[in-house]
Each structure stands twice: as C-alpha cells, then as structure tokens.
C-alpha cells in the first residue's frame, strides 16, 4: 500500500518486505506520509505539563506472559553446516503434537532453499530443537511448522478465540514474541478493528511491534489467540498489524497431518498466487473507473475500495509547466522473498498544462517525461527483462500513445508483471500521461487489464 510497513523478522540487514516497496515507489510513499498535526489552539501558551510517572506494569500482561511463556518459541533460520543465524522470528504452539504457527516470511528461506537453510526453535526456558515446515499460506503470510524432535509434545497449546466472538475497538490485547532477538517479551496495545481498504483482512493493532516478533501471537484478556504479529508501519507510532487468527486456525486444520516440505516450494507458491491474482483481477474489473475531474479528458482513476489514492500538484511557477498527479496503490503486496513482493496493482496519472510554455517547449518536456519511465531492462534471478510493445490507439477520436511491457517470473511460471504507459496526443500544450502496473498476473489477465485501462481514456463532453 502506499503505506510504510515493515515486517517484523529481524535482525536482518537486507531490505525488508515493505522496504522494497518503498524503494519501488518512493514518491507514493512520500505522499503517504501523514501530515503533521498542529497543536490545538487551547495548548498555545499553556503552562508546562508536569512529567508523569511511568505507568505501572500491567497485572494482565504479567499474568498472560506467565501463562503462555511455555507456548512461545523463537524461530531461527540457520545456514546448514553452520550455527550462524540468517533470520529470527517468533512462533507459538497450536497443538499438543508440537505444531506451531509463524509467518511465511519468517521461514521463507527454508521454503525456497531447503538445501541451504534449516529451522530451529528455542523456548523461553532455553530448550532447543529442529523444526520442519509442513505448510504455508503466502497470501496471509502464515506458515505451519512442527518440532521435528518431538521436544514440544505434551505442552498445552494456545487456544484460538472463536471468530464469532468479536472484539470491540479499544479493547486491550497483548502481543508476544522475541523483539530484536533480545528476549521474550509481552507488549500491550489496543484492538482497533480491521484495516480499512485492505484487500485481505488485517487487524489494526495500536501497539509497538518490533522486528523479531513476526509470527508471535496476539492474545485477548483470557489468553486466547486473536491474531498473529506480521507488520508495523514505519512512519507511524504504535501502528501495527496482525493476521486474523481465523486464517491461522484454517491452516492448522487443513495441514496438521501434512508431509514435511523438503523441496523448494515454488510450485505451491505459484498455485496460491494464481488464485490470488484471479480473485484480484475479477474484483478490480468489476469496479468502474472514477471521474478524474479533468475538463478535457476522462482518465482512469480506480475506486478506493481496496486502494488508496494520493494527489499532488506543482506550483504555477514551476518553469511554466503545471501538472497535477494522482497515485493509487494497494496495501496488499505478497512477500515471496526479501527481494520479490508481488500481487498488487498501482495506477497513476499526471495531467500537464503547458500553455505558458508554448508548443515547442511543451512538446520537449512532455516527451521527456514519457521517456523517463523505467521498466526492467535486465533479467534477474527472479524476473526476465521487460518485453515492450508500442502502439497508437484511437479512443473515439482521442489519439493515445501506449507502451505495454511484460516481464515474466522465472520460478513462478505463468505469472508476469505488467506495465502500461499511456500519453494523450491531441493537444499542442496540454496532455495526460498515465501508468498502470499489475504485479504477478497471468497472461490472459494481463491482456484484460490492459484493455480495461486503455478503455478508461476518452474525451469529456467539454473538449
């Protein structure tokens, strides 16, 4: 999303799940920064507020930690043949047979490269042992693992709070895990409902999650699991996110007897991503474009049912060229590896007015802006270089220049990244340029999305 989220696996010197997104869409991330809140008028000139004593330690948090510490483990990914840890996360017991729930991103290295990495657990009382990966749900960032040595058998598992017993906004909840690899901890916060405009349900937790807590449980006052720690927002304070417990419970129920995964899971990942992109494209295509409010052009602007849009404009004295820009992005980006996140859609447009420049200077700047757009130029370990095709499109008399680029995933067969770049060509000093990006769609859906996006351009009645 155009939000600044970071997953909680740590410590890790490589870019995290959402750091990659920020590098990918820096402007949108900057636009997503909330505006500073000015002090209330009544605070101006008010007397200094005396320093408050630290709040007392919560008796509920103490009680819950003591009740559940035996069900918590730290999950470490180690290089095979070495004791050096690559990543660190958390997990919790969900069966008497040693099954544990954690995040997919905590165990992704083992899932994708089992020949190089292995998993181990450490309990709060120092017991250690190997873990085996049984199943995962990459869409909801969950994984089911089991103690391979039987060392956790017989420990009482944590219970799930029934989905029918909803929480009220403001209720206290408690997140547990091993933040920053410094020791097991319990953190208090508040339940704030589900994140708005998210494609999949995510719980908004007003609490300070930290890297290393990924995969740990969030509990209600009775010690029942209501969610799984997954991410935090880096530009906010105590704005964190949990995977609803029902998805973890479903993963346990359908996979508790699964055979351990010992080969790279790209086929299973591909299957899950294909299902996701089909659902995403169907829902996206069902929504009509919103009006952009431009006096000359109809411009495709998506609904904000599962996207967020941010707008900006330049001052009128910016070298005589004025433009307005809109960026719309989803908050759903599915973690595959630290270097590959997929499964989202982004839509952008820029409306230019160069009447103060004159036609020749406008044409030069307008063309340069179009040429500045970038697409993958080289094949990497994850994707091929983009194959692009340029064509000119007539939209009921409105001429468009369109560039369509496709980049194939090398190990997720049948999935592609799509980019469509469009510019209107009808006016000597005015125009609109737009870009549409879809990550991880199949070829048929890439074609549907391309046609849907191009069909969003038209004249308005006042041109």
């Amino acid at each position: 999303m155009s939000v600044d989220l970071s997953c909680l696996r740590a410590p890790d010197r490589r870019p995290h799940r959402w750091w990659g997104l920020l590098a990918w869409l820096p402007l949108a991330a900057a636009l997503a920064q909330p505006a500073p809140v000015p002090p209330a008028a009544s605070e101006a000139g008010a007397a200094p507020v005396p320093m408050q004593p630290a709040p007392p330690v919560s008796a509920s948090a103490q009680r819950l930690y003591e009740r559940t510490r035996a069900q918590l483990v730290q999950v470490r990914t180690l290089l095979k043949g070495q004791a050096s840890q690559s990543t660190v996360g958390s997990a919790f017991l969900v069966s008497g047979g040693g099954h544990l729930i954690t995040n997919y991103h905590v165990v992704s290295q083992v899932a994708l490269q089992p020949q190089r990495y292995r998993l181990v657990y450490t309990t709060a009382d120092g017991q250690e042992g190997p873990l085996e990966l049984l199943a995962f749900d990459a869409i909801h960032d969950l994984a089911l693992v089991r103690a391979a040595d039987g060392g956790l058998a017989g420990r009482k598992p944590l219970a799930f709070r029934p989905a029918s017993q909803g929480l009220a906004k403001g209720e206290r909840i408690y997140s547990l895990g091993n933040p920053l690899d410094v020791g097991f901890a319990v953190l208090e916060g508040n339940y704030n409902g589900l994140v708005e405009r998210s494609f999949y349900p995510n719980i908004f937790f007003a609490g300070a999650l930290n890297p290393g807590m990924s995969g740990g449980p969030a509990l209600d006052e009775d010690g029942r699991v209501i969610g799984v720690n997954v991410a935090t927002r880096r530009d906010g304070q105590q704005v964190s996110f949990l995977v609803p417990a029902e998805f973890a419970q479903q993963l346990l129920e359908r996979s508790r007897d699964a055979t351990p995964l010992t080969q790279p899971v790209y086929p299973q990942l591909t299957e899950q991503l294909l299902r996701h992109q089909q659902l995403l494209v169907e829902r996206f295509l069902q929504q009509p474009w919103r009006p952009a409010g431009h006096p000359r052009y109809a411009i495709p602007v998506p609904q904000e049912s599962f996207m967020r849009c941010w707008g900006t404009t330049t001052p009128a004295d910016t070298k005589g060229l004025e433009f307005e820009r809109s960026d719309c992005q989803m908050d759903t980006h599915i973690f595959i590896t630290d270097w590959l996140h997929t499964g989202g859609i982004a839509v952008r447009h820029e409306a230019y007015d160069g009447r103060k420049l004159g036609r020749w200077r406008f044409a030069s700047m307008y063309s340069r802006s179009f040429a500045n757009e970038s697409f993958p130029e080289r094949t990497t370990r994850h994707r091929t270089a983009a194959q692009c095709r340029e064509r000119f499109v007539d939209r009921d008399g409105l001429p468009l220049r369109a560039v369509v680029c496709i980049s194939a995933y090398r190990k997720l067969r049948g999935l592609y990244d799509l980019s469509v770049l469009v510019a209107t060509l009808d006016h000597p000093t005015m125009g609109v340029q737009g870009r549409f990006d879809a990550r991880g769609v199949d070829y048929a859906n890439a074609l549907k999305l391309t046609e849907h996006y191009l069909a969003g351009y038209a004249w308005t009645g006042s041109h």
Side-chain angles (χ1 to χ4, degrees), residues 36-345:
V37 179
S42 60
E43 295 177 2
V49 178
M51 183 176 295
Q52 298 295 315
V57 176
S58 163
S60 294
Q62 285 183 311
R63 173 178 54 80
L64 285 175
Y65 179 73
E66 290 304 319
R67 277 180 54 186
T68 60
R69 64 192 299 270
Q71 287 83 41
L72 299 177
V73 307
Q74 182 186 50
V75 176
R76 293 185 294 151
T77 302
L78 306 181
L79 285 166
K80 279 190 172 178
Q82 298 184 30
S84 301
Q85 61 192 28
S86 177
T87 62
V88 176
S90 300
F92 58 97
L93 270 169
V94 289
S95 84
H99 293 84
L100 302 110
I101 289 290
T102 185
N103 290 136
Y104 165 76
H105 73 258
V106 170
V107 301
S108 63
Q109 288 177 308
V110 171
L112 299 177
Q113 300 181 77
Q115 71 281 10
R116 294 190 59 191
Y117 296 99
R118 60 191 174 96
L119 293 172
V120 298
Y121 69 86
T122 303
T123 64
D125 54 11
Q127 179 182 334
E128 296 184 356
L131 286 172
E132 53 191 5
L133 174 62
L134 296 183
F136 64 92
D137 174 357
I139 306 305
H140 297 102
D141 202 349
L142 293 169
L144 180 67
V145 297
R146 182 174 58 197
D149 62 350
L152 299 178
R155 295 197 182 207
K156 184 179 179 181
L158 292 178
F160 290 98
R161 179 183 175 113
S164 58
Q165 298 180 15
L167 290 160
K169 275 197 175 187
E171 281 195 47
R172 299 298 284 175
I173 54 178
Y174 306 84
S175 173
L176 297 97
N178 197 321
L180 301 171
D181 196 24
V182 298
F184 289 95
V186 55
L187 302 173
E188 284 190 70
N190 296 92
Y191 174 84
N192 276 288
L194 299 179
V195 177
E196 296 181 357
R197 285 174 282 173
S198 181
F199 192 71
Y200 294 115
N202 275 298
I203 294 172
F204 171 14
F205 171 54
L209 297 184
N210 285 284
M213 298 183 71
S214 280
L219 309 176
D220 63 10
E221 290 277 4
D222 295 324
R224 295 175 296 181
V225 179
I226 61 100
V228 182
N229 306 331
V230 70
T232 191
R233 185 159 166 161
R234 302 184 64 82
D235 63 344
Q237 294 184 0
Q238 300 199 38
V239 179
S240 302
F241 304 96
L242 313 170
V243 181
E246 61 187 277
F247 298 109
Q249 194 168 12
Q250 292 168 9
L251 179 62
L252 170 66
E253 290 172 356
R254 67 174 178 261
S255 305
R256 67 168 66 235
D257 298 323
T259 302
L261 298 167
T262 57
Q263 300 296 317
V265 301
Y266 286 105
Q268 297 94 323
L269 264 176
T270 302
E271 183 181 346
Q272 293 183 15
L273 292 172
L274 283 169
R275 286 201 300 270
H276 162 73
Q277 63 92 37
Q278 187 63 35
L279 177 63
L280 171 61
V281 172
E282 287 176 359
R283 286 187 59 188
F284 189 80
L285 294 180
Q286 287 173 358
Q287 302 179 104
W289 297 110
R290 287 191 296 138
H294 194 278
R296 187 175 180 84
Y297 307 109
I299 305 168
V301 178
Q303 303 289 331
E304 294 193 65
S305 53
F306 51 82
M307 303 184 83
R308 284 179 172 79
C309 297
W310 307 89
T312 187
T313 185
T314 56
D317 59 352
T318 307
K319 298 180 180 180
L321 180 66
E322 301 174 21
F323 78 89
E324 295 179 351
R325 174 169 174 151
S326 169
D327 284 87
C328 301
Q329 303 170 44
M330 292 178 59
D331 66 350
T332 297
H333 290 267
I334 298 168
F335 180 99
I336 304 302
T337 73
D338 285 327
W339 308 104
L340 179 61
H341 313 136
T342 187
I345 288 176

Side-chain angles (χ1 to χ4, degrees), residues 7-22:
C7 61
L8 304 171
R9 182 180 64 186
D12 190 341
R13 296 182 177 84
R14 295 168 298 168
H16 274 296
R17 175 184 183 184
W18 301 103
W19 292 3
L21 175 62
L22 290 174

